[in-house]
Structures are given as C-alpha cells and as structure tokens.
Amino acid sequence: MPDTSLGKCNTTNTAVLTWVEEMTKLCQPDTVYWCDGSEAEKEALTGEAVQRGILIKLNQEKLPGCYYHRSNPNDVARVEDRTFICTESKEDAGPTNNWAAPKEMYRKLITVVNGAMCGRTMYVVPYLMGPPGSPLTKVGMELTDSIYVVLSMRVMTRMGLAAYQHLGDDDGFNRGLHCMLDLNPENRYIAHFPVNNAIISTSSNYGGNVLLGKKCLALRIGSYLARNEGWLAEHMLILGVESPTGEKTYVAAAFPSACGKTNFAMMIPPARFKGWKITTVGDDIAWMRPGPDGRLYAINPEAGYFGVVPGTNSKSNPNAVATIQRDTIYTNVALTDDGNVWWEGKDGDVPNECLDWKGNKWTPASKEKAAHANSRFAAPMANNPALDALANDAHGVPISAIIFGGRRSDTMPLVFQTFNWIHGVYVGATMGSETTAAAMSAVGQIRRDPMAMLPFCGYNMGDFFRHWINMIRLMKHPPRIFNVNWFRKDTDGKFLWPGFGENVRVLKWIVDRCNGRAIGMETPLGWIPAPGEIDIQGLDGYSADRLAKVQDIVSDEWRNEIHLQDELFMKLHSSLPKELIYQRELLAARL
Ligand code: OXD
Ligand code: MN
C-alpha cells in the first residue's frame, strides 16, 4: 500500500510556497512532491527508482542499502565551460569565470525550462548545509525532476523538515532549480545568480552539476556570501590529528579535484605511528569563520561523501572501503553478475566478466576501463569509522593549520611552511596542479588552480585573494599555512614519497610546528623540516637521501615556476592585490 501521507506540502513558509508555485507554473510538472527526509520517504522513492530502472538494487547481503546508477555517457563530470556566474558586471565575476548578464541568462533559461517537467514529478527538497543550529549553516531548497538527485541529496545533505525548522518564516534560502530535460549537452547550463542566492541547472544529472548544495551553493554562492559576511567558503577537507598523549589538532587542506582529498581526510596512520589517530570532519568543503577567541573555526557543510571510486581499496583508503559497504549510491562503476560492484583498483580479484559503466559486457581483455575514471560513491559520513566526534558540532572545530597542495611531478617539495599569512595567501593563490578526470578537460596538463577554487569561486578571483588577505584582521590566532606535494617524481618517473597513510609523517611535522615543537629550517620557499624532523623509521627501504630529493629546491625549476605564474597574474591584473606581487618579488629575490 503506498503511504499517502508522503509528498504533501509540509511548510507554511510563505516565501517557499510562493516560489514553488511560481516554479510549478513555469516548469508545469504533473505532480509536486514535497520531501520530508523521512525513512518512509526514502523507502518509497528508492522503490520507485528501482521500478523505473533508474537505480539497480545491489546484492543486499554484501552491500546492504546500496544501489547502482548509470548516467548518460555524455554526462559524467562537471562542465566548466557550461558553468556561469551571473553578476551585474563582468568584472564582478572576473576573468576566471564564464560570465553572463543575469537578465539575459534568466531570459534564456526561462525558455529552456518552460514546460520542462510536463509528464514528470517536481520534487521539493529542503536541505541544510551545516549542522542544525550553527551560525554558519545555510538553508537550500532544490526543485528537481530527478529522483536520483533527491536520493543523493538525502545522503549528501541534512535533508528534510530540519531545514524548515532552521528557516522559520525567513525568506533567506537558496533557490535551486534543476531540470533534467533530455540531457542534451547543448542545453546544459549550470547558472549561478549570487545576488539572488539562486541556481538554475539544466540538462545534466551528474552530481557536481546537480546536487546543488555541493559545488553550486557551498562553494560558488557560498564564497560570494562569505565575502559579504566575513567568513571563508573553501574547497578544503577538514581533519583532526590525535596524538598518543590525546592532543587534538585540526587542519584544513585544499587540493584540486581528484588529488586525494578524501584519502587524506580518512587516512589511517602506519604501524610506526601507534597511538596516532586521524579523524574526519569533512572531505571536500570547509566553511570557516573567526570565533570569539580569535581562532578560525570550521564546519563541514555536507553530511556525506561524493568520492571518486577507482583506486579506492584497503591500501589507499580503508576507511572509505568501510564507509561504502552500506547505504551507498554507486554511479558509473562496473556491475558484476552477483549484484556486486567492481572498479579498477578494487581489492580482490578482477572479475572474469562484468558489465561496464555503460552496461556493455566487459572482460579483462577489454580495451576500455570497466568503471568510468570519474565514477563516484555517495555515502553518508556517519558510516565513516574515523568520523570526528565534532563532525556535527554547531561551533565547528578550531583550525591550527591550513594546507595547500597540488599534483606536481616536479618543482614542489614534499612540505614547507610559509613565513606568514600573506605569504601563505600568495602560495595558495599560485597553486598549480596536473589536471585529472573530475572535470571535462585534457588530463595531465598543469593548470593554475588558486586555492583549488578555480572552478568554484563565485566572484572575481582577485577580490577573493583580497578577502583572504583581509581575513587576518579578524583573527588574533590565525592558522599557520603550509604547502605539500605528495606527487613529486624522480627522473625514472617513480614517486619520491610513498603517500597514503604515510602522509601522517608530514602531518606530524605540521602539527609539531603549530604547537611549537619542530624547529625547522629556513629556505627561500619558507620553513622546511630540519634533518630528522620527518620520521622515516619503519618506511621500508626509504632513505634520508630520497627524503632530501623530495625536499630539493631546484633553482631552475623555481625560475620557471615564477615565470609560469605570469599567466595568472596577467589574467587577474586589474584586481590582483599588490601584496601578492610583492610576495612574488620577495620570493624571486630570496631564490
Ligand atoms: C568533487 C570535485 O567532486 O572537486 O569534489 O570535482
Ligand atoms: Mn571537490
């Protein structure tokens, strides 16, 4: 028997009611379904999605509560060329964003979504970004005609009636409209209207484009709100480091997409680090604001992880392996005949045969990968065995260190600490990384990705740097800023650092620096570990010589690096804070 209490209008907030009515008139759905976030609703919608073939039920003995989804092959990643920041002036969006005038974009999209939900259901999804009761928490409403989006939003956000409670009678919520249309890439728009706190996303069903709480609200609109309200919305993981003496230090770290943020946030220290524990607050996004004690406090606005699947195994990320054993939606991995999932780099044997992410027969002799390189899991963070005790805390956690890092085969040493906040902002601003499959672009080229926010900053990047510089005035005890690179290679193309759980060795030095224990050594780049300060004991066959190599500062490489920064500096010249130009000159002089 269908539960007839589900789907009914469940708010009296007049701003919500008026907006939903307007959007209903525009999109003309057959039915409007109001989500409440309940278990009964989850069961009903999951059942419907399975019945309509949108989800496949996986083997419930092996993977309880897990489902499988295949996307349209033309719709497997974020689309930066179709992502727009619609501010009054082009200068407000800045040279690193696609800009469109709000009026024109609204006019175009109103045509695109007019009647787009005929014959379909519009789901009204209320959600919170952030724990209930936090001063940083924001309310979003997403209207979508995708049941996959509804079920994924349930995992990724605090979805349901709690959002209305937080909102009360207020009209200050993000208005997000998502219409799947026919997934024709020509009608694909991910349009942000920061001044109106609104998002319209069309003709896609890929997470990063359509789970509107994530990149669209928490980063693009979030960064815009953060600048106006005096806080930071960042593409950063947040983790806690617990020492054997029980000392707890929190760290936030920015890495470009698919550089191992999720692995780093869930890392398990090696045997040599007995008694050390890493706990996860968040794996992708940090909202941070100065607290009354002058420190910077961070929350993770999300409630789930939307992680890259290939390469996830008990060596790279045992906590992620545990997390995705239940209540997880898998997208674009391979499907085995016993209702299990498989991907390149999974633990255990390669199946003799399975269905690839497109639904075609796959064998180990196949030329193509079975799982798409950007196949994903959406899993509740509550499943994470290493979830930090304060992950749901309304005050957030005090941040002692901010880490920037990219994927660089050369130039960048394993770790250095910047001299001060502004030097740290310069290092974050000039971050570069080799591109990966998380976005539709050529893989393997270096691109400047300031603070890992290139695709996510909702306003002019130069003004974003200015905001970062200004933030120091609001903090009596700012976090120390570091730079790391796990990906440096030797001349044979082999990684110079083992990475994964061994990264705790670097993290320990960072924590020691924050807590006044490590002495360090001054170099032109900043402070690096003094000999012996990075513990390499228990690292099989790893020598001090190899550590020296991964820390090496090669003048020619740095001359080239400074030269390569020209491109970014020229692009941003009209809004680039002078302080960053001085920092670059100082670095050149030191080198
Ligand atoms: C992500 C991304 O999905 O950064 O987190 O692309
Ligand atoms: Mn990300």
Side-chain angles (χ1 to χ4, degrees):
M1 275 284 284
D3 185 341
T4 48
S5 68
L6 294 174
K8 302 261 163 64
C9 179
N10 47 19
T11 180
T12 53
N13 180 303
T14 45
V16 172
L17 294 172
T18 310
W19 177 65
V20 173
E21 197 183 321
E22 275 170 24
M23 293 304 107
T24 306
K25 275 195 190 129
L26 178 64
C27 301
Q28 300 165 33
D30 279 12
T31 317
V32 178
Y33 184 109
W34 296 75
C35 297
D36 63 11
S38 64
E39 280 300 314
E41 172 180 284
K42 176 186 170 190
E43 230 172 84
L45 296 185
T46 305
E48 187 186 332
V50 170
Q51 194 232 327
R52 287 169 54 196
I54 294 163
L55 292 181
I56 293 175
K57 193 172 193 166
L58 291 167
N59 183 324
Q60 296 296 298
E61 266 170 36
K62 291 191 168 132
L63 296 167
C66 293
Y67 291 83
Y68 175 83
H69 175 75
R70 264 189 208 113
S71 78
N72 185 308
N74 81 25
D75 186 32
V76 292
R78 287 183 290 99
V79 279
E80 291 173 13
D81 58 327
R82 310 293 300 178
T83 298
F84 292 86
I85 301 295
C86 307
T87 42
E88 253 341 291
S89 84
K90 190 166 189 225
E91 182 65 12
D92 288 345
T96 59
N97 281 314
N98 297 316
W99 173 80
K103 253 197 210 136
E104 264 162 48
M105 188 54 97
Y106 272 128
R107 195 176 310 132
K108 184 183 309 181
L109 290 181
I110 281 171
T111 315
V112 170
V113 304
N114 194 2
M117 295 190 189
C118 272
R120 303 174 67 85
T121 297
M122 174 196 272
Y123 298 92
V124 181
V125 182
Y127 64 95
L128 284 180
M129 296 310 287
S134 170
L136 275 166
T137 291
K138 301 281 181 206
V139 176
M141 298 288 306
E142 177 162 354
L143 307 182
T144 176
D145 54 356
S146 163
I147 205 166
Y148 166 76
V149 165
V150 178
L151 292 166
S152 302
M153 285 295 282
R154 226 194 112 84
V155 175
M156 295 303 300
T157 73
R158 294 160 177 94
M159 188 265 253
L161 301 180
Y164 295 131
Q165 275 156 28
H166 193 95
L167 187 62
D169 292 333
D170 210 77
D171 66 353
F173 58 91
N174 179 269
R175 289 152 166 81
L177 174 66
H178 167 234
C179 298
M180 266 178 78
L181 305 178
D182 56 358
L183 302 177
N184 177 350
E186 281 176 22
N187 284 325
R188 196 164 291 159
Y189 292 93
I190 321 297
H192 304 73
F193 304 88
V195 174
N196 307 109
N197 194 4
I199 306 158
I200 301 178
S201 168
T202 58
S203 217
S204 172
N205 204 32
Y206 168 74
N209 299 329
V210 299
L211 306 179
L212 299 184
K214 194 175 177 63
K215 302 302 186 182
C216 301
L217 171 52
L219 290 177
R220 298 196 190 98
I221 299 279
S223 59
Y224 176 89
L225 297 174
R227 193 239 330 229
N228 293 348
E229 297 168 5
W231 51 281
L232 292 165
E234 300 300 323
H235 192 203
M236 290 182 181
L237 65 92
I238 310 162
L239 59 79
V241 185
E242 206 175 293
S243 77
T245 60
E247 177 191 71
K248 191 86 184 242
T249 309
Y250 288 98
V251 164
F255 300 97
S257 306
C259 279
K261 276 214 301 296
T262 305
N263 292 350
F264 190 47
M266 294 179 152
M267 165 174 65
I268 296 187
R272 161 85 186 140
F273 277 70
K274 195 162 176 270
W276 288 82
K277 201 170 164 213
I278 305 299
T279 50
T280 321
V281 179
D283 79 325
D284 195 40
I285 297 172
W287 283 358
M288 304 189 282
R289 69 170 207 151
D293 60 357
R295 299 189 71 186
L296 190 63
Y297 283 78
I299 62 159
N300 169 16
E302 301 190 277
Y305 308 131
F306 184 63
V308 175
V309 180
T312 303
N313 56 49
S314 47
K315 175 167 182 262
S316 65
N317 194 338
N319 282 324
V321 171
T323 301
I324 62 180
Q325 295 309 308
R326 58 203 153 88
D327 302 322
T328 296
I329 301 174
Y330 290 90
T331 300
N332 289 343
V333 294
L335 185 62
T336 62
D337 58 8
D338 59 347
N340 205 337
V341 279
W342 188 79
W343 54 83
E344 281 74 13
K346 191 182 183 190
D347 290 323
D349 298 332
V350 176
N352 292 330
E353 194 180 309
C354 61
L355 293 178
D356 70 9
W357 68 279
K358 291 182 186 157
N360 299 323
K361 185 177 141 183
W362 184 92
T363 71
S366 299
K367 286 210 175 65
E368 307 235 328
K369 298 249 196 275
H372 187 274
N374 193 34
S375 51
R376 296 277 176 152
F377 56 77
M381 71 176 186
N383 285 4
N384 179 2
L387 188 70
D388 190 87
L390 298 181
N392 287 298
D393 191 274
H395 298 104
V397 297
I399 298 296
S400 297
I402 288 177
I403 303 175
F404 294 114
R407 178 184 290 270
R408 297 294 300 264
S409 312
D410 50 39
T411 315
M412 284 292 171
L414 178 63
V415 60
F416 65 89
Q417 180 185 354
T418 62
F419 291 121
N420 52 48
W421 182 262
I422 295 188
H423 179 215
V425 174
Y426 163 74
V427 167
T430 51
M431 245 168 82
S433 192
E434 286 152 28
T435 49
T436 68
M440 297 265 202
S441 61
V443 171
Q445 288 170 2
I446 299 265
R447 77 165 179 178
R448 292 287 133 195
D449 190 350
M451 298 182 179
M453 284 289 279
L454 184 70
F456 306 122
C457 185
Y459 61 102
N460 190 313
M461 189 62 89
D463 297 338
F464 175 66
F465 299 154
R466 166 59 57 211
H467 176 53
W468 261 84
I469 292 172
N470 288 349
M471 282 297 292
I472 188 69
R473 296 193 205 138
L474 305 177
M475 290 180 287
K476 220 159 114 206
H477 308 290
R480 311 283 200 274
I481 302 182
F482 296 80
N483 194 80
V484 301
N485 175 25
W486 317 132
F487 302 95
R488 197 166 185 181
K489 290 181 177 163
D490 63 16
T491 42
D492 296 333
K494 294 212 175 76
F495 286 113
L496 279 161
W497 178 250
F500 302 113
E502 306 299 349
N503 292 338
V504 76
R505 296 167 190 269
V506 176
L507 209 41
K508 177 177 178 298
W509 183 75
I510 290 174
V511 167
D512 282 347
R513 284 292 294 172
C514 292
N515 296 326
R517 286 191 292 264
I519 293 164
M521 228 166 59
E522 196 177 331
T523 73
L525 301 189
W527 296 89
I528 67 165
E533 281 185 350
I534 295 242
D535 178 355
I536 54 169
Q537 275 190 50
L539 253 187
D540 246 5
Y542 199 82
S543 62
D545 185 41
R546 214 154 165 79
L547 184 63
K549 276 207 181 99
V550 73
Q551 279 295 95
D552 201 12
I553 300 167
V554 181
S555 308
D556 281 353
E557 288 181 348
W558 274 95
R559 257 191 291 279
N560 188 39
E561 178 68 17
I562 290 181
H563 176 65
L564 288 175
Q565 291 172 6
D566 267 350
E567 195 190 330
L568 179 80
F569 276 37
M570 305 268 277
K571 200 168 187 179
L572 295 177
H573 73 277
S574 65
S575 57
L576 191 73
K578 296 271 176 301
E579 289 90 328
L580 301 189
I581 298 169
Y582 298 148
Q583 283 297 327
R584 193 165 80 136
E585 282 170 8
L586 283 173
L587 172 62
R590 289 196 300 266
L591 282 162

